Amino acid sequence: MCGIIGYVGKKKPIPVLIEGLKQLEYRGYDSAGIAVVLNEEVRIRRVKGKIALLEKSLEDSPLDGLYGLGHTRWATHGRPSEENAHPHRDCTGTIVVVHNGIIENYLDIKESLKKKGHQFKTETDSEVIAHLVEEYFEGTLENAVLKAVKELEGAYAVAVISTKDPQKIVAAKIGPPAVVGLGEEEFLVSSDINPLLKYTQNIVFLEDRDIAVITPAGVQFLDFGGRKLQKKIDHITWNPMMIEKRGYKHFMLKEIFEQPQVVRDTLQGRLSLDSANVCLSEIGIPDEILSDTGRVVIIACGTSYHAGLVGKYFIEAMAGVPVDLEFASEYRYRDFILDEKALVVVISQSGETADTLAALRAVKEKGPQTLAVCNVVSSSIAREAAGVLYTHAGPEIGVAATKTFIAQLTAMALLGLHLAQVKGTAGNKERLRLIEELLRIPHRMEHILHDVQKIEKLAARFVSFNHFLYLGRWVSYPAALEGALKLKEISYIHAEGYPGGEMKHGPIALIDDKMPTMVIIPKDRVYDKMLSNISEIKTRIGYIVAVAFDNDETIASRVDEVLPVPPVDPLFSPFVTILPLQLFAYYIAAIRGADVDQPRNLAKSVTVE
Ligand code: G6P
């Protein structure tokens, strides 16, 4: 996935680049590097490992420069090592490149450049870009980049500097994101907006086949044909305070605690108690079209997929429309069938996930309505879908998604209500009841967060187990999947989420005193069925922790431990049942000393296939 950053302006570049890389570190953290230019000389520092090591190396032996590039790597081609870390150079050492993505034809390019005498030093695909720019350099850097990109196949966001055309960064992209920040006499390019917010909130999102020529005098935008472009400047309302830990040990914990507010923010201005209406005119798809929806197809990856599964239950229950849920990575290669009454909803926190974006593009070719549910304003998916429903979670830094999941649930509840309203499948009374229930959710969540000690203590007792089963049914099934995913992601403990009814078809064979089961059992339509699961597990001496409604004496008498949550409408129970599961995973990982915010091998935004 990798993160790229570049800075040209009045400040010393290294602190800007290091701070920016720290904010991009979630994109990859196996090696890092920077390049700065001073007196027509490129100075490079690279390390294997995290940004902190790069920072330490620069403290021990400082570099000076006037402008430069930085990179944090998530290895695809070439193992993590100092040599394979970016920035990469051409043969002359005057051209330097940082790259996010995969150059699919790099071996062919490498072979042909070798025949022309180029010498390669790394195992990476990215190095060919520096040599291609070298090959084409004549006049300006942008001219060379314009020629080089014509030969590249694959996906890339790339930033290039050269001492032969100083005080200039040229950035280009196809696929992975790249954004340009327009400050006061300072300009930046980055993989996302977070590193830019300290300097400016005026952002240009590069589209595929855009080139940005960034100098201290300003930024010029070109297409791949070299024609000048007028780009829209977005004013971003996120502020730099939002990306600080503010006293929490980890971003993930801070983000878990932000969830009640995230629900409020995502609901704000979109509900009316007076009319029992949801107002989603902002999404840009007219009600007349939505009211004609005959089928909804939800496409997503990872945690967003789990939010989609909750969304399926919401929409089916509220609007009576059939909903299919699909993994983007599968759907994009399927011979899928969509008619003109289908509404395709793509859910993506980042709005940049390569598979989700590709699935959206494949869907658009067939013509149905598309709606994105995204957290990042003006991200690729948000721009390319016909409509967009933003989740207002603010920036999420922890790699394991928490508050953005809750924001996605909120968005799916709004969508379900909105479809029910425009299709007339739920009357005023029922809509009002659901709206009131939704508005009560943040307070219920706060109740859980007021006392997390019990969860922390329980986690301490379970810290040495190596396998967990998570069981839930109906809307608690996605909660089980998401709870198990959190544990896997950050503590590296094997955890399986399963629908309760399927337990007897396999997982029951695993149950013993070494495999605890987390049972998500709010008082809902499948409560009695889940009680049977509990009996079956107890018969096989399995240890059970139940997430259940407060004061549920029946559960308390049948399981080993209860993590209580306040009662809510059963349909909305995932809003509350997920909280103890997130916290349980968090505390287990923290107690085990795991790198909670940056778990191994993962990246927050998967912009390669
Ligand atoms: C990665 C992240 C997950 C996320 C998934 C989908 O795997 O680590 O937390 O759920 O991508 O990301 P998206 O931005 O499309 O929601």
Side-chain angles (χ1 to χ4, degrees):
M1 270 59 74
C2 305
I4 62 169
I5 181 144
Y7 177 83
V8 175
K10 53 203 172 185
K11 296 193 179 66
K12 288 210 173 273
I14 288 188
V16 178
L17 296 174
I18 291 291
E19 211 176 311
L21 286 179
K22 283 184 185 166
Q23 280 157 10
L24 294 173
E25 198 169 21
Y26 71 82
R27 302 180 63 85
Y29 28 83
D30 58 43
S31 50
I34 52 144
V36 285
V37 179
L38 187 71
N39 300 334
E40 295 186 24
E41 188 199 336
V42 184
R43 293 146 187 231
I44 291 186
R45 182 69 48 81
R46 302 181 297 189
V47 298
K48 177 177 176 226
K50 294 194 160 196
I51 313 295
L53 281 179
L54 178 64
E55 194 176 22
K56 171 90 180 42
S57 158
L58 288 162
E59 272 163 22
D60 294 347
S61 163
L63 283 184
D64 205 2
L66 293 176
Y67 66 102
L69 300 175
H71 188 270
T72 183
R73 182 165 186 245
W74 187 84
T76 56
H77 292 62
R79 77 208 138 83
S81 68
E82 187 183 327
E83 199 53 49
N84 287 333
H86 299 220
H88 292 298
R89 281 160 293 187
D90 70 327
C91 300
T92 64
T94 60
I95 296 164
V96 172
V97 166
V98 288
H99 165 227
N100 167 205
I102 294 174
I103 306 300
E104 284 165 4
N105 59 340
Y106 81 103
L107 286 174
D108 294 344
I109 297 176
K110 201 167 175 174
E111 268 322 297
S112 85
L113 287 174
K114 270 185 180 169
K115 283 186 192 138
K116 292 180 182 163
H118 288 261
Q119 290 184 349
F120 288 81
K121 299 184 200 76
T122 78
E123 300 158 341
T124 67
D125 54 336
S126 313
E127 193 186 357
V128 299
I129 306 169
H131 291 273
L132 264 184
V133 174
E134 176 190 2
E135 187 64 25
Y136 287 121
F137 206 104
E138 203 185 284
T140 64
L141 181 58
E142 57 270 32
N143 282 345
V145 172
L146 276 167
K147 287 181 185 146
V149 290
K150 296 208 168 76
E151 296 208 11
L152 301 176
E153 284 168 20
Y156 51 87
V158 64
V160 191
I161 55 176
S162 169
T163 54
K164 294 194 273 186
D165 191 359
Q167 293 274 18
K168 185 184 276 182
I169 299 172
V170 177
K173 80 151 222 137
I174 292 184
V179 292
V180 174
L182 309 174
E184 293 280 325
E185 295 173 52
E186 57 185 350
F187 302 93
L188 301 97
V189 61
S190 166
S191 294
D192 79 21
I193 57 180
N194 291 344
L196 311 184
L197 296 174
K198 193 169 165 193
Y199 310 98
T200 180
Q201 287 173 310
N202 294 326
I203 310 287
V204 172
F205 291 81
L206 295 188
E207 311 271 348
D208 284 353
R209 298 174 188 282
D210 280 359
I211 290 203
V213 183
I214 303 162
T215 69
V219 185
Q220 196 177 58
F221 298 96
L222 308 172
D223 66 15
F224 272 19
R227 287 170 289 268
K228 282 190 188 158
L229 296 171
Q230 283 298 328
K231 297 291 293 180
K232 175 171 154 266
I233 301 173
D234 279 289
H235 185 75
I236 302 297
T237 53
W238 290 2
N239 66 56
M241 293 282 282
M242 289 165 131
I243 42 183
E244 285 170 14
K245 273 194 208 146
R246 313 186 102 184
Y248 286 93
K249 193 168 171 211
H250 294 102
F251 278 109
M252 181 178 176
L253 191 59
K254 170 185 168 245
E255 288 157 2
I256 289 172
F257 273 81
E258 283 173 351
Q259 294 180 106
Q261 192 54 39
V262 162
V263 176
R264 288 190 185 102
D265 290 345
T266 304
L267 293 178
Q268 180 152 28
R270 290 164 165 173
L271 291 177
S272 159
L273 279 171
D274 293 341
S275 58
N277 272 347
V278 173
C279 178
L280 290 185
S281 50
E282 65 189 274
I283 68 176
I285 304 179
D287 287 358
E288 308 79 70
I289 292 182
L290 285 178
S291 66
D292 212 24
T293 303
R295 174 181 163 221
V296 175
V297 178
I298 300 176
I299 304 174
C301 302
T303 287
S304 298
Y305 177 89
H306 297 158
L309 187 49
V310 180
K312 169 181 164 76
Y313 294 133
F314 283 176
I315 294 169
E316 287 178 350
M318 295 180 196
V321 184
V323 182
D324 296 324
L325 178 71
E326 308 284 353
F327 285 114
S329 52
E330 288 295 314
Y331 201 66
R332 60 181 293 192
Y333 291 114
R334 291 237 316 265
D335 302 306
F336 56 82
I337 297 152
L338 291 167
D339 62 32
E340 71 277 14
K341 291 197 167 194
L343 170 67
V344 176
V345 179
V346 283
I347 308 179
S348 174
Q349 182 284 127
S350 62
E352 301 293 349
T353 301
D355 282 322
T356 313
L357 184 57
L360 170 64
R361 287 176 179 162
V363 164
K364 279 175 67 179
E365 277 179 20
K366 301 214 174 172
Q369 272 306 318
T370 54
L371 173 67
V373 174
C374 286
N375 194 45
V376 178
V377 172
S378 292
S379 50
S380 303
I381 290 171
R383 290 197 309 268
E384 293 195 24
V388 55
L389 172 55
Y390 283 114
T391 54
H392 294 163
E396 187 175 64
I397 309 298
V399 166
T402 52
K403 65 172 179 172
T404 53
F405 173 72
I406 281 291
Q408 289 166 344
L409 296 197
T410 314
M412 295 316 284
L414 286 169
L415 182 62
L417 275 166
H418 190 60
L419 286 173
Q421 184 178 306
V422 295
K423 290 182 79 66
T425 46
N428 272 25
K429 205 167 151 212
E430 173 61 1
R431 290 204 316 274
L432 185 61
R433 189 186 70 77
L434 289 168
I435 288 172
E436 283 174 346
E437 287 290 342
L438 261 183
L439 290 168
R440 275 196 278 270
I441 295 278
H443 189 61
R444 303 279 188 272
M445 295 169 86
E446 272 158 358
H447 186 80
I448 302 169
L449 295 170
H450 279 152
D451 180 17
V452 295
Q453 273 186 352
K454 180 173 180 188
I455 305 173
E456 187 174 4
K457 280 191 191 142
L458 192 73
R461 285 180 31 219
F462 279 82
V463 78
S464 49
F465 282 94
N466 292 321
H467 307 276
F468 280 81
L469 182 62
Y470 283 64
L471 283 187
R473 209 162 168 171
W474 189 51
V475 286
S476 295
Y477 166 48
L481 291 176
E482 179 59 11
L485 180 64
K486 290 301 89 136
L487 190 67
K488 272 188 272 222
E489 283 180 315
I490 60 171
S491 70
Y492 319 138
I493 292 173
H494 166 233
E496 284 197 50
Y498 241 82
E502 284 291 302
M503 188 182 83
K504 54 187 170 297
H505 299 296
I508 197 165
L510 297 169
I511 305 255
D512 63 14
D513 58 351
K514 295 188 190 58
M515 180 152 175
T517 306
M518 310 291 287
V519 175
I520 300 108
I521 179 166
K523 270 242 162 92
D524 60 13
R525 59 170 78 158
V526 286
Y527 179 81
D528 290 337
K529 308 288 167 198
M530 290 301 295
L531 281 180
S532 305
N533 283 113
I534 287 175
S535 304
E536 286 154 16
I537 297 166
K538 284 307 319 161
T539 312
R540 286 152 185 92
I541 47 171
Y543 205 93
I544 299 181
V545 178
V547 177
F549 284 164
D550 278 339
N551 305 322
D552 186 333
E553 303 297 338
T554 311
I555 296 294
S557 65
R558 294 189 192 194
V559 303
D560 301 284
E561 296 288 345
V562 182
L563 293 173
V565 296
V568 295
D569 183 283
L571 185 64
F572 293 145
S573 60
F575 281 101
V576 287
T577 54
I578 194 61
L579 258 63
L581 300 178
Q582 292 169 338
L583 285 160
F584 183 75
Y586 168 77
Y587 285 119
I588 287 208
I591 296 165
R592 285 167 75 117
D595 191 344
V596 172
D597 285 333
Q598 292 170 353
R600 69 183 183 205
N601 305 340
L602 297 178
K604 184 143 197 79
S605 175
V606 183
T607 52
V608 292
E609 207 182 329

